[in-house]
Amino acid sequence: MTNKNHLTTSWGAPVGDNQNSITAGSRGPTLIQDVHLLEKLAHFNRERVPERVVHAKGAGAHGYFEVTKDISKYTKADFLSEVGKRTPLFVRFSTVAGENGSADTVRDPRGFAVKFYTEEGNYDLVGNNTPVFFIRDAIKFPDFIHTQKRDPKTHLKNPTAVWDFWSLSPESLHQVSILMSDRGIPATFRHMHGFGSHTFKWVNADGDGVWIKYHFKTEQGVANLAPDVAAKIAGDNPDYHTEDLFNAIEKGDFPAWKLYVQIMPMEDANTYRFDPFDVTKVWSQKDYPLIEVGRMVLDKNPENYFAEVEQATFSPGTLVPGIDVSPDKMLQGRLFAYSDAHRYRVGANHQALPINRPKNEVKNYQRDGQMRFDSNGGSSVYYEPNSFGGPKESPENKQAAYPVYGVAESVAYDHNDHYTQAGDLYRLLSNEERIRLVNTIVEAMKPVEKEEIKLRQIQHFYKADPDYGKRIADGLGLPVPQEAL
């Protein structure tokens, strides 16, 4: 009787023997005519794509977003157009610095990337679990990440490089303080907030714009891990966060987040006390309160990790009408870098993969490229403009303009107060939280080889708050530098 579920080669032919290779006799050499063996080995050698340089280790899930408040006066984005409207989505959570096999429970920011499959195309909101970042200009990003990776000589993490860079980049102080606090090690992906971090622009149907910031608030409550518990879990179960997310969804305990935005009138950007496009700073919620938008629920696990989580590609440049970018220099750099990373890592046609493919029909003149697996545009016209009825631009969907001041040159941010918000954060902590923060920083700085780096970093902590700097100096057995006093 013929087996209907027979094993086949990659070209669809049935395999007669998958247990033994073809040899010249029982002890002879393996023959090159065993094309099934050659195909298996060759494919196995190519099963890995390059891992992400950052955010390599991650977990993902499918779900939906539902609008709960009418915000149509602020944005014409179709998926936000009416209360009750649901949009399917895919989320990928991740650590930042570690490799694909690294532990989930290390002290590190977490990536919080959301792909909305809207009726007007995909919208990617590519954020973190912190509202700020270490740097504010993309030109510093490769250098920063080099310090978080392995030393090229020892192939070990290098605390001296980490703190040398941070001490010479005082804009990092706010994020460093968050990272070293209790929030630096979330208990699970489900028990952390998410942020767009950058400033974005919303535009309504009348062409009026506002600046906005995104805040995802976890409905599970915020929970963190103590360092000793996190270290033990890292050794016992390095995939702890991945497993927790999968198991929660599998048993029907669907995690959810409420989405809020802060909204700033366009003209306030010129007068606000901090540069609103500086991603190392937050906007006070007293100045710009949170406004509810909707609710995100994750209710379905991936069927295949590689196809859905590993091949999922996100970019802050994946936008839809009604949502636009800002002059945030870090965001501007990411608009190129993220999509370019996917072209290298997954391929030029990564957007056509099922996990990345938009729900609406794609109509453009992009053709060919490695692994083009759809109809490649068929026999339709392949250039524009044309006289054959091909798709044309829709002027009403042009990116909205915003005023630009100055001349084209290498220009720094106008505001250099890197200490007020870091100090405010420190003063918001309880004494017990301050003790844990200081102890974490002291232990992290002890291995630093150069005393001048430690002293320089202590100055930054002291300028944020004298008590902050003095406690760290005492913990390291060093004086507070005179320059900070």
Side-chain angles (χ1 to χ4, degrees), residues 168-418:
L168 292 167
S169 305
E171 69 270 27
S172 66
L173 186 62
H174 194 178
Q175 175 77 323
V176 168
S177 297
I178 295 173
L179 177 63
M180 297 295 166
S181 74
D182 293 348
R183 293 160 62 184
I185 313 177
T188 76
F189 291 136
R190 298 179 297 121
H191 292 86
M192 65 183 191
H193 294 325
F195 302 87
S197 301
H198 301 291
T199 297
F200 294 90
K201 185 182 181 183
W202 274 1
V203 180
N204 66 17
D206 296 325
D208 301 321
V210 290
W211 302 117
I212 66 109
K213 280 186 177 289
Y214 292 104
H215 298 250
F216 285 92
K217 299 290 187 181
T218 175
E219 293 185 5
Q220 291 69 239
V222 171
N224 304 302
L225 294 176
D228 57 336
V229 174
K232 184 178 187 307
I233 293 174
D236 294 343
N237 183 4
D239 304 316
Y240 176 75
H241 286 169
T242 304
E243 182 179 59
D244 172 85
L245 179 66
F246 184 92
N247 289 344
I249 294 173
E250 201 71 2
K251 68 182 183 182
D253 182 11
F254 303 140
W257 287 258
K258 281 280 184 68
L259 175 61
Y260 300 83
V261 291
Q262 289 178 283
I263 294 180
M264 175 186 286
M266 296 288 287
E267 59 272 15
D268 284 17
N270 298 322
T271 57
Y272 194 54
R273 62 184 184 275
F274 296 103
D275 190 323
F277 310 120
D278 179 349
V279 74
T280 67
K281 308 294 187 295
V282 296
W283 303 352
S284 171
Q285 293 179 23
K286 294 178 181 178
D287 299 329
Y288 304 101
L290 295 180
I291 297 172
E292 184 178 330
V293 178
R295 186 169 184 259
M296 178 176 78
V297 179
L298 302 182
D299 60 1
K300 182 178 181 295
N301 280 314
E303 289 296 319
N304 184 278
Y305 181 91
F306 181 85
E308 297 167 67
V309 183
E310 189 64 19
Q311 290 193 138
T313 60
F314 300 85
S315 168
T318 303
L319 302 163
V320 292
I323 302 177
D324 217 324
V325 299
S326 77
D328 177 335
K329 295 184 181 189
M330 192 66 194
L331 172 60
Q332 291 284 323
R334 293 178 77 207
L335 297 176
F336 164 75
Y338 274 57
S339 292
D340 190 58
H342 304 319
R343 295 181 196 107
Y344 156 72
R345 196 179 68 85
V346 184
N349 293 306
H350 65 93
Q351 296 281 26
L353 290 167
I355 190 63
N356 302 315
R357 186 184 304 144
K359 302 303 181 186
N360 60 320
E361 184 181 0
V362 174
K363 302 176 183 178
N364 59 37
Y365 300 93
Q366 296 171 8
R367 296 291 186 269
D368 308 343
Q370 188 178 29
M371 296 297 290
R372 186 68 188 247
F373 51 87
D374 59 7
S375 64
N376 194 35
S379 59
S380 63
V381 61
Y382 49 92
Y383 58 90
E384 202 278 333
N386 62 74
S387 305
F388 299 95
K392 298 179 180 180
E393 72 266 20
S394 48
E396 67 273 17
N397 290 316
K398 284 180 64 176
Q399 284 188 293
Y402 56 78
V404 176
Y405 306 99
V407 296
E409 62 175 326
S410 299
V411 180
Y413 278 88
D414 294 332
H415 298 75
N416 284 309
D417 178 3
H418 306 307

